[in-house]
Amino acid sequence: MSQATVTLWRPVGPKELELIEASGMREFPPRLPDQPIFYPVLTEAYATQIARDWNVPASGSGFVTRFDVLKSFLDRYRVEHARSRAHLEYWIPAEDLADFTWAIVGQIQVTATFGKETAG
């Protein structure tokens, strides 16, 4: 019997994507010291907005990733509203990211790419 999963998205820049690819599309890299929270988001539209509007200006390109996570793991955390009800995300403490990785079912997929030549 399969366990229930929740589909989440995460906007990433090119450096983070390289690390995800190096893991075989199985895990997100550890957080940096100034990044105490890992925040996967609940909608593709929100992830797209961040990838396009924040990652592209910051690093030249942005990517939207999609992945499934065990619902039983996510039940430990509440959904947070980041500025508006349309901006929903989980706040996973950096020290819980290894457990989060174990709760990913299948591979992380890139669903959209944005860059100076692809913006729009």
Side-chain angles (χ1 to χ4, degrees):
M1 185 163 127
S2 65
Q3 292 185 304
T5 60
V6 175
T7 299
L8 297 175
W9 288 264
R10 176 156 171 82
V12 299
K15 290 180 182 175
E16 189 171 1
L17 182 60
E18 284 180 25
L19 295 171
I20 294 166
E21 290 172 338
S23 77
M25 302 302 281
R26 296 266 179 210
E27 61 187 66
F28 290 94
R31 307 306 289 153
L32 299 173
D34 63 336
Q35 299 172 323
I37 295 174
F38 176 78
Y39 58 96
V41 304
L42 276 68
T43 68
E44 187 172 21
Y46 181 30
T48 296
Q49 179 183 6
I50 296 169
R52 184 187 59 228
D53 298 348
W54 296 356
N55 291 114
V56 171
S59 60
S61 59
F63 307 88
V64 175
T65 62
R66 181 181 69 213
F67 49 96
D68 294 324
V69 179
L70 292 174
K71 182 181 180 310
S72 59
F73 175 84
L74 292 174
D75 286 345
R76 300 185 214 170
Y77 306 92
R78 56 180 215 184
V79 173
E80 303 289 344
H81 297 98
R83 291 179 295 181
S84 85
R85 294 234 174 249
H87 295 159
L88 303 175
E89 55 196 35
Y90 283 99
W91 293 355
I92 310 296
E95 59 269 17
D96 293 353
L97 187 55
D99 291 338
F100 180 88
T101 293
W102 283 104
I104 294 174
V105 177
Q107 290 189 299
I108 300 164
Q109 301 171 350
V110 175
T111 61
T113 301
F114 300 95
K116 289 181 174 71
E117 65 283 345
T118 61

